[in-house]
Amino acid sequence: MNEKDNKFEESAIFIGWYEKNMRKLPWREVKDPYLVWISEIILQQTRVVQGMKYYQRFVKRFPEARILANADEEEVLKYWQGLGYYSRARNLHEAAKEIMTRFDGRFPQKYEDILSLKGAGHYTAAAIASIVWNQPCPVVDGNVFRVLGRLFAVETPIDTAEGKKLYGELARRIMNPAQAGLHNQAVMEFGALQCVPQNPDCSRCPMQNRCSGYANPQQFPVKRRKTATRDRYFHFLYIIYNNVYTYLHRRDGKDIWRGLFEFPMIETAHPADFAELTQLTEFKKLFPADGQYVFTRDKANVKHVLTHQVLYATFYRVEIRTENEALKEYIRIPLQALDGYPVPALIHRYLSNKI
């Protein structure tokens, strides 16, 4: 083995393992940058097993950038429903429009141009450029952090500028540029299947004789800080008017679920039972004292975990016979049309009787 071959020996081992163990996935069977792009965005926050059905449904409806660009945002969000992190869907939609206007409908091939698309970070741009066109752009995602952190026993925290730079250099150092796309997929798959976060089977690892973190894999990668989370308490009011209509509100602003629809909701700073809820100004506005209502608490304190937040949701079913002025501020829709609106996964689970 000459010096050049030896330089990329780690890459050869990863690729050899990958060719024997790779999962058969639809986006690996094509070299369509659009389809690779969709898969990479979905898999940023979703496991392959969970994301597969969403990917297939999404690309069936939006098989190319032109169709995605021409769609309404509400429809895009509806097809994204269940995947969470809805800013990804909004960014995809905007980026598809950019492809049509800035790149004449053709997916950009240069790394820098891909990076310029709405929502495309360094990882996404590197993944597409390398997988589709074999450009020597190393990818560094959670799986790669873990593999490299253990392989080189990196003490520098991954959540620092110094750490990100170091991991990028390590990723480039072991990449064989002649097989960039294959190498990147191999390392990512290795992290997903072999070098897993908890209890990796190091005894069967082809890298065990080279891995500096072999004795203590759980110590790597190192993180400097833990992300603080906060608790929030949501009280959803599923209002049913004459057994025909219900009411929705479209969320906006910079909070979670922007662009999705929800029932009228009251948020409290602390857990609150129904008696406490009735004393709030928002509740009294929705349900004036002179009205007739039938309240049923359907679900209480349903826990829903987001990246930096933990939601505790209580659902009330409210039957009414007359519509007051406050309810006219909401969108009134027929009950049978409810399924056509994009809603957060939490509400979808409630409506599907899965919580």
Side-chain angles (χ1 to χ4, degrees), residues 37-56:
W37 175 49
I38 300 299
S39 72
E40 290 297 337
I41 299 300
I42 288 176
L43 296 181
Q44 284 177 3
Q45 302 288 349
T46 309
R47 296 176 61 188
V48 169
V49 174
Q50 298 168 324
M52 180 75 76
K53 64 178 181 180
Y54 293 101
Y55 166 84
Q56 292 172 331

Side-chain angles (χ1 to χ4, degrees), residues 140 145 149 153-168 170 219-226:
V140 183
F145 274 131
V154 180
E155 297 287 351
T156 307
I158 61 174
D159 52 351
T160 62
E162 182 184 2
K164 289 181 172 63
K165 180 180 179 181
L166 174 58
Y167 274 91
L170 291 173
Q219 292 185 8
F220 305 100
V222 176
K223 290 185 179 181
R224 182 181 61 178
R225 56 183 179 271
K226 293 183 178 180

Side-chain angles (χ1 to χ4, degrees), residues 201-225:
D201 187 358
C202 297
S203 65
R204 301 181 62 183
C205 178
M207 284 291 183
Q208 62 174 277
N209 294 330
R210 296 171 174 272
C211 182
S212 299
Y214 175 76
N216 298 292
Q218 299 300 143
Q219 292 185 8
F220 305 100
V222 176
K223 290 185 179 181
R224 182 181 61 178
R225 56 183 179 271

Side-chain angles (χ1 to χ4, degrees), residues 39-281:
S39 72
E40 290 297 337
I41 299 300
I42 288 176
L43 296 181
Q44 284 177 3
Q45 302 288 349
T46 309
R47 296 176 61 188
V48 169
V49 174
Q50 298 168 324
M52 180 75 76
K53 64 178 181 180
Y54 293 101
Y55 166 84
Q56 292 172 331
R57 184 181 68 171
F58 195 88
V59 300
K60 182 178 181 180
R61 172 61 187 90
F62 310 111
E64 57 184 64
R66 175 183 59 81
I67 295 175
L68 178 57
N70 290 334
D72 292 332
E73 181 181 289
E74 283 186 20
E75 185 183 16
V76 175
L77 292 174
K78 182 62 180 177
Y79 274 83
W80 197 264
Q81 184 172 293
L83 282 167
Y85 302 92
Y86 289 90
S87 61
R88 294 182 295 167
R90 289 190 292 270
N91 289 340
L92 277 175
H93 193 206
E94 290 302 315
K97 295 177 183 178
E98 293 176 8
I99 291 171
M100 300 310 299
T101 57
R102 292 171 48 208
F103 299 101
D104 298 323
R106 296 184 178 183
F107 200 97
Q109 184 171 342
K110 294 182 180 179
Y111 169 85
E112 293 77 10
D113 289 338
I114 301 172
L115 187 62
S116 73
L117 294 175
K118 181 75 171 180
H122 292 284
Y123 162 79
T124 301
I128 297 170
S130 64
I131 292 171
V132 179
W133 295 290
N134 202 43
Q135 295 177 27
C137 306
V139 298
V140 183
D141 69 346
N143 286 326
V144 177
F145 274 131
R146 185 167 58 256
V147 172
L148 295 180
R150 290 170 175 172
L151 183 61
F152 296 103
V154 180
E155 297 287 351
T156 307
I158 61 174
D159 52 351
T160 62
E162 182 184 2
K164 289 181 172 63
K165 180 180 179 181
L166 174 58
Y167 274 91
E169 292 171 350
L170 291 173
R172 185 173 295 280
R173 182 194 306 173
I174 68 169
M175 169 187 279
N176 183 346
Q179 295 181 290
L182 196 56
H183 169 89
N184 278 340
Q185 293 179 87
V187 179
M188 290 188 287
E189 190 82 333
F190 191 83
L193 301 182
Q194 174 63 45
C195 196
V196 294
Q198 301 297 324
N199 303 314
D201 187 358
C202 297
S203 65
R204 301 181 62 183
C205 178
M207 284 291 183
Q208 62 174 277
N209 294 330
R210 296 171 174 272
C211 182
S212 299
Y214 175 76
N216 298 292
Q218 299 300 143
Q219 292 185 8
F220 305 100
V222 176
K223 290 185 179 181
R224 182 181 61 178
R225 56 183 179 271
K226 293 183 178 180
T227 303
T229 61
R230 62 168 175 147
D231 295 340
R232 301 178 72 178
Y233 303 90
F234 289 2
H235 307 267
F236 290 107
L237 300 152
Y238 180 25
I239 303 171
I240 299 175
Y241 173 34
N242 281 339
N243 293 317
V244 176
Y245 299 102
T246 189
Y247 300 85
L248 294 176
H249 161 71
R250 190 178 188 188
R251 294 181 65 93
D252 53 18
K254 296 183 178 181
D255 202 356
I256 59 173
W257 302 335
R258 182 164 64 88
L260 301 185
F261 292 83
E262 67 179 359
F263 301 130
M265 188 271 288
I266 297 173
E267 180 175 359
T268 58
H270 305 284
D273 60 21
F274 184 69
E276 294 171 297
L277 201 64
T278 61
Q279 301 306 307
L280 299 177
T281 302

